[in-house]
Amino acid sequence: MLYFGPMSDDPSLPDPNSLQSVIGALLFASDRPLSVDDLRATLRQGPLEAFAQTSPRQIQGYLADIAATLARSDLGLRLCEEDGRFSLRTVPEAAPWVRALTKAAPPQRLSRAGLETLAIIAYRQPISRAEIESVRGVSADHTIRALMELNLIRTVGRSELPGRPFLYGTTTTFLEHFGLRSLEELIASDGRSVDGAADLGL
């Protein structure tokens, strides 16, 4: 979770805006999401001793400031958190132009069967194919393969039942697409649900 409390008044620390700029630059330059520990470890490698002493709580405070600044601005960027890792992402509204620039494939659309299966897995994971089919009443083989190809679900283990069937769960890509930090936020207060999803801008 992001920390929204006051910053430290410790005079030994660098100017907050200066350190915030460094953290923002690290998020921009990284090719993967960064955790607070990742950021702290990198700050320790830099030339300023004061930066090396920055605590996890202070880094969380700077991340909160970056998120708030981006939310107020019109830069087309936002700070995303997934499983405790942070990254800078373009806003969904800019997706058509970003895809045009990057020559990315157009968004794929899930069938109703795909959405239903994804919802079942998301809310009941870890879950086996037989359990999915028991809920839906039809074969789920094709749909499960399609969801795995989209990297929305993955195998997370095996059941203890005879035959030890695979168990399925959602992925980080699933969290990212639906704007969730963790599975605990799956049922959000604003009523978001995977049942209402359609276009997958992957």
Side-chain angles (χ1 to χ4, degrees), residues 61-113:
Y62 296 131
L63 289 168
D65 290 343
I66 291 172
T69 298
L70 291 175
R72 291 193 304 267
S73 71
D74 194 24
L75 294 176
L77 297 172
R78 63 180 180 178
L79 181 66
C80 297
E81 179 187 353
E82 304 152 15
D83 288 338
R85 295 182 179 276
F86 301 85
S87 59
L88 294 178
R89 302 291 174 86
T90 55
V91 296
E93 295 81 3
W97 294 274
V98 174
R99 286 197 297 270
L101 176 66
T102 60
K103 311 299 182 185
Q108 301 182 51
R109 186 176 181 87
L110 277 180
S111 65
R112 183 64 190 177

Side-chain angles (χ1 to χ4, degrees), residues 1 4 19 41-42 47 74 77 96 112 115 123 126 129 137 165-166 170 175 188-189 191 193 197:
M1 297 294 292
F4 291 91
L19 182 50
T42 304
D74 194 24
L77 297 172
R112 183 64 190 177
L115 288 172
Y123 285 103
R129 178 178 56 81
F166 285 113
T170 53
L175 295 176
S189 59
S193 165

